[in-house]
Amino acid sequence: TPLLRSFLTPITVTASDTSKIYDKNPFSGTTLTNSADVTLPGTPSYSGTATSAMNVGSYTINAGGLYSDQQGYDISYRPGILTITPLALSISATGVNKIYDATTIAAVNLGDNRLTGDALTLGYGVANFNDKNVGTAKPVSVGGISLGGADAGNYTFNTATTTSANISQASLTIAAVGDSRIYNGTAVSTGTPTVTGTVYGGDSLIGVMQSFDSKNAGPRVLGVSYALNDGNGGANYNVTTQTAGGSISRALLTLAAVTQSKVYDGTTASTGVVGITGLMAGDSLAGVSQSYASKNVLGANLSTLNVNGGYTLTDGNAGGNYTVTSTSALGTITVRPLSTWIGGATGNWSLASNWD
């Protein structure tokens, strides 16, 4: 009662302010001090918002449970403040391996050390490899990390981190196509190879062509050639080349005797120059000649001129790159006029040189 209180000594018990890092544990009490600096009997008890506090924030600590001994104290209580500060969340990244695509863009999976049961969502704004090229354990930088979810307010967190991942080669297949043609003295093929796979970004695949394994006639294998520019010596791609079967058939080489007229000289010799059609650049034909089928006078355009054998065809394939045909021509051997004998007493009358 007020009358009795007038005989008691006022004393104030203060609940000390306290703080802790977010840990999901319930409030367990604080230090109580009193203005008389005496020991008061009783068991401290607490009420106020601190008793149910779990999340980051400030909460009231109300104390009670003490009473006066024989000294006679009139006890009052001053509340304290419980402050819960955020827990530092460590967000880490695990890099995701990828196939080369000419960009530095990376993908990562995020992880953290959250307290069990907390609802958090993680995100990031950007992840990049240190360069675009193929490699293993390549550095990846992650930025713009974000934190959401019902319990996000209980944490501080890092907004950037690093990790590593691999970039493996992109696949390209360059395949020759079948081709057959007539011998032309080169290994060039007009077929267009097929390309399967993607050449990315600013990379380029140029000079894609195919050629026969030899210029010579016969069954042939076609292979491909190309130049790949990717800023890494072509190492960003795994290029598979495929051959194809083909053939080169013999070219037609025609040797044509030409018409000629001459005065009978007792021989089949001809000074005509044989016409040559179909000989390819780089190949050669030597020793080509023609002759009359008969040395005798047969009448106007009744003598036959034929291409002689024994010529030499040089084509790098022992002549096997050509099918050689020859054509005849008609010519004339005219009668030789009678002449004066100049061969002397011992001369051979059948030799034209002994007659003028």
Side-chain angles (χ1 to χ4, degrees):
T1 64
L3 179 60
L4 292 177
R5 284 176 183 259
S6 64
F7 294 101
L8 301 177
T9 302
I11 187 172
T12 300
V13 175
T14 301
S16 299
D17 292 343
T18 187
S19 65
K20 69 171 184 173
I21 297 173
Y22 171 71
D23 60 5
K24 297 184 73 170
N25 292 322
F27 175 67
S28 60
T30 188
T31 301
L32 300 180
T33 61
N34 60 77
S35 55
D37 195 21
V38 296
T39 300
L40 297 174
T43 301
S45 62
Y46 300 97
S47 62
T49 56
T51 59
S52 60
M54 289 290 180
N55 296 321
V56 167
S58 297
Y59 303 91
T60 301
I61 305 171
N62 294 325
L66 303 181
Y67 55 88
S68 176
D69 58 13
Q70 295 178 356
Q71 299 297 320
Y73 295 107
D74 182 11
I75 302 173
S76 62
Y77 293 91
R78 179 177 295 142
I81 299 297
L82 168 64
T83 302
I84 302 178
T85 58
L87 174 64
L89 185 71
S90 177
I91 299 178
S92 59
T94 301
V96 177
N97 297 334
K98 77 167 187 176
I99 297 172
Y100 174 79
D101 61 4
T103 75
T104 61
I105 296 172
V108 299
N109 295 317
L110 298 179
D112 59 63
N113 60 339
R114 74 185 71 182
L115 297 182
T116 301
D118 278 358
L120 299 175
T121 57
L122 306 177
Y124 63 93
V126 63
N128 284 295
F129 288 93
N130 63 326
D131 61 44
K132 70 170 187 172
N133 293 327
V134 164
T136 58
K138 294 177 66 69
V140 175
S141 59
V142 185
I145 294 175
S146 61
L147 183 66
D151 296 308
N154 293 319
Y155 294 91
T156 61
F157 59 95
N158 52 296
T159 58
T161 189
T162 60
T163 184
S164 64
N166 302 335
I167 300 178
S168 56
Q169 291 177 313
S171 294
L172 280 179
T173 299
I174 305 174
V177 296
D179 188 17
S180 295
R181 64 164 172 81
I182 297 171
Y183 173 79
N184 64 7
T186 75
V188 173
S189 167
T190 57
T192 302
T194 61
V195 178
T196 304
T198 301
V199 179
Y200 290 96
D203 300 344
S204 62
L205 183 65
I206 60 175
V208 179
M209 61 184 65
Q210 64 180 47
S211 59
F212 293 92
D213 60 335
S214 168
K215 72 169 187 172
N216 293 328
R220 300 264 64 95
V221 175
L222 290 144
V224 300
S225 59
Y226 63 92
L228 178 58
N229 301 314
D230 65 353
N232 194 29
N236 291 325
Y237 294 86
N238 178 24
V239 181
T240 300
T241 59
Q242 296 177 351
T243 60
S247 63
I248 297 178
S249 56
R250 295 186 180 207
L252 179 62
L253 179 62
T254 301
L255 307 181
V258 295
T259 188
Q260 184 188 6
S261 294
K262 74 169 185 174
V263 176
Y264 172 78
D265 61 5
T267 74
T268 60
S270 169
T271 58
V273 178
V274 175
I276 300 172
T277 304
L279 185 66
M280 301 300 169
D283 296 344
S284 64
L285 190 61
V288 182
S289 62
Q290 66 179 38
S291 62
Y292 288 87
S294 170
K295 70 174 184 175
N296 297 321
V297 174
L298 300 177
N301 290 321
L302 294 178
S303 293
T304 301
L305 289 144
N306 298 317
V307 176
N308 297 322
Y311 53 81
T312 301
L313 175 57
T314 303
D315 65 354
N317 194 30
N321 292 324
Y322 294 92
T323 297
V324 182
T325 61
S326 59
T327 61
S328 298
L330 294 176
T332 302
I333 299 177
T334 60
V335 174
R336 185 177 186 87
L338 292 177
S339 301
T340 303
W341 176 257
I342 60 173
T346 61
N348 187 338
W349 68 272
S350 63
L351 291 178
S353 61
N354 287 331
W355 297 89
D356 181 12

